[in-house]
């Protein structure tokens, strides 16, 4: 294979779920079998990179100031589900078990990996609570050490008035697994089985 | 998800081996988790699309006039292996079982799909034979109806001098597989391709 081909293969191999053979197959497909698709793919990548940003309120993917969920009046129920990453939000949306709002932290506290509270999207959550927007906060973080630490930090440091109920997603989530890999039924029972955390 | 995100997901889903979920995961990875990788991937795609072309002699991937195999004097053995697609060539190279030259047809004859001889890279093969470059032609085409038809067409229409030996790659049981697990067509070709053992 040629140098430019191998370089492309290396880049494709870094994508999640794409190994050496898949990368070769995709590169051959784009360069030999269906070369007409390559410019369209490049355009879609560039367009998405330019258009997609973080929702200023919740941190979800957005193309304007607010994401589709924050812009939807019917979902301003006062119940806000706190997740680690956007894929977690996608998994919850797919389950159809939750119709409130979200808040994406974009990570969890991890002193070992040098992730502190200032690296997470916590300030915007504090602002939403201060604005009286939140009645219940559902902590849908994974139940590993970092997830526990993040839940603990949020309940300790968020200046939530007593009127804000803090719950934690719980039953049905397999130990050691995150929201991303759970099936819809498990996510539904986890939401229904949430318990007081504070 | 946003419109630009979904458009990117649709384009990713068209890649071989990438389904709906994988496309979502790759798009999230490129836009949220590792946004720094996206420009490098776009650059590699564009560079490869620009740099990679067909070898003018054999039809393999090349960055100059000739591919690495045609440019290698040691591989000009006079034995030319005819394959349907570049991935076939890659598979043969990976096996290390062949050290001659190749000729990539970029398809096989298929009247039903409207693929005629003029759509295949046959003219260049004729030119190589006319130039006295070929002593043996190994037809490594698949043994389906279209592969058979293509082999037949090549032996009938290539104005090969009698000095050019035309062979066809052997069909039979795959290595490691027994009679028990082989399908009927494979067993039929394995019986037809039997050789003296004594």
């Amino acid at each position: 294979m040629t140098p430019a081909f191998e370089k492309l293969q290396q880049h494709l191999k870094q994508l999640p779920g794409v190994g050496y053979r898949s990368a070769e197959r995709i590169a051959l497909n784009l360069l030999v079998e269906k070369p007409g698709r390559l410019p369209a793919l490049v355009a879609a990548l560039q367009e998405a990179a330019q258009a997609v940003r973080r929702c200023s309120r919740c941190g979800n993917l957005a193309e304007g100031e607010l994401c589709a969920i924050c812009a939807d009046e019917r979902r301003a129920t006062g119940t806000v589900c706190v997740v680690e990453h956007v894929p977690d939000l996608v998994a919850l949306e797919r389950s159809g078990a939750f119709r409130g709002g979200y808040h994406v932290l974009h990570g969890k506290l991890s002193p070992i990996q040098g992730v502190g509270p200032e690296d997470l999207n916590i300030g915007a959550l504090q602002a939403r609570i201060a604005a009286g927007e939140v009645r219940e906060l559902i902590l849908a973080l994974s139940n590993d050490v970092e997830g526990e630490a993040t839940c603990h930090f949020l309940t300790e440091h968020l200046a939530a008035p007593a009127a804000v109920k803090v719950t934690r997603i719980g039953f049905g989530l397999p130990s050691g697994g995150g929201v991303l890999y759970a099936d819809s039924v498990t996510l539904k029972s986890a939401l229904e089985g949430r318990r007081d955390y504070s």
Side-chain angles (χ1 to χ4, degrees), chain A residues 75 81-99 101-102 138 140-141 169 179-180 182 184 187-188 190-191:
Chain A
R75 302 201 54 162
C81 185
V82 181
V83 294
E84 287 165 24
H85 296 290
V86 174
D88 301 332
L89 180 155
V90 174
L92 283 161
E93 281 298 287
R94 197 181 292 137
S95 78
F98 182 68
R99 299 299 296 167
Y102 290 95
I138 304 175
L141 308 176
I169 199 168
V179 169
L180 177 58
S184 302
L187 286 172
K188 192 159 185 293
L191 280 162

Side-chain angles (χ1 to χ4, degrees), chain A residues 166-178:
Chain A
V166 180
T167 58
R168 187 168 178 200
I169 199 168
F171 291 117
L173 207 61
S175 180

Side-chain angles (χ1 to χ4, degrees), chain A residues 9 12-24:
Chain A
Q9 190 178 350
L12 290 169
K13 201 159 71 69
Q14 291 175 358
L15 299 175
V18 178
Y20 181 85
R21 285 276 181 284
S22 311
E24 185 180 85

Side-chain angles (χ1 to χ4, degrees), chain A residues 23-131:
Chain A
E24 185 180 85
R25 202 170 146 219
I26 291 171
L28 283 167
N29 182 269
L30 286 171
L31 294 172
V32 183
E33 290 162 34
K34 311 271 181 189
R37 282 186 189 162
L38 196 142
L41 174 63
V42 166
L45 280 163
Q46 287 175 322
E47 193 187 317
Q50 184 140 48
V52 177
R53 43 182 288 186
R54 282 189 189 183
C55 170
S56 64
R57 189 187 288 165
C58 77
N60 183 19
L61 296 185
E63 293 198 12
E65 186 66 19
L66 294 180
C67 72
I69 294 168
C70 284
D72 185 348
E73 286 295 326
R74 291 164 301 176
R75 302 201 54 162
T77 59
T79 307
V80 172
C81 185
V82 181
V83 294
E84 287 165 24
H85 296 290
V86 174
D88 301 332
L89 180 155
V90 174
L92 283 161
E93 281 298 287
R94 197 181 292 137
S95 78
F98 182 68
R99 299 299 296 167
Y102 290 95
H103 198 85
V104 185
L105 295 181
H106 291 286
K108 50 191 171 184
L109 293 176
S110 173
I112 291 170
Q113 290 178 31
V115 181
E118 67 283 355
D119 300 312
L120 303 180
N121 188 25
I122 291 177
L125 179 57
Q126 181 66 69
R128 293 175 77 177
I129 291 168

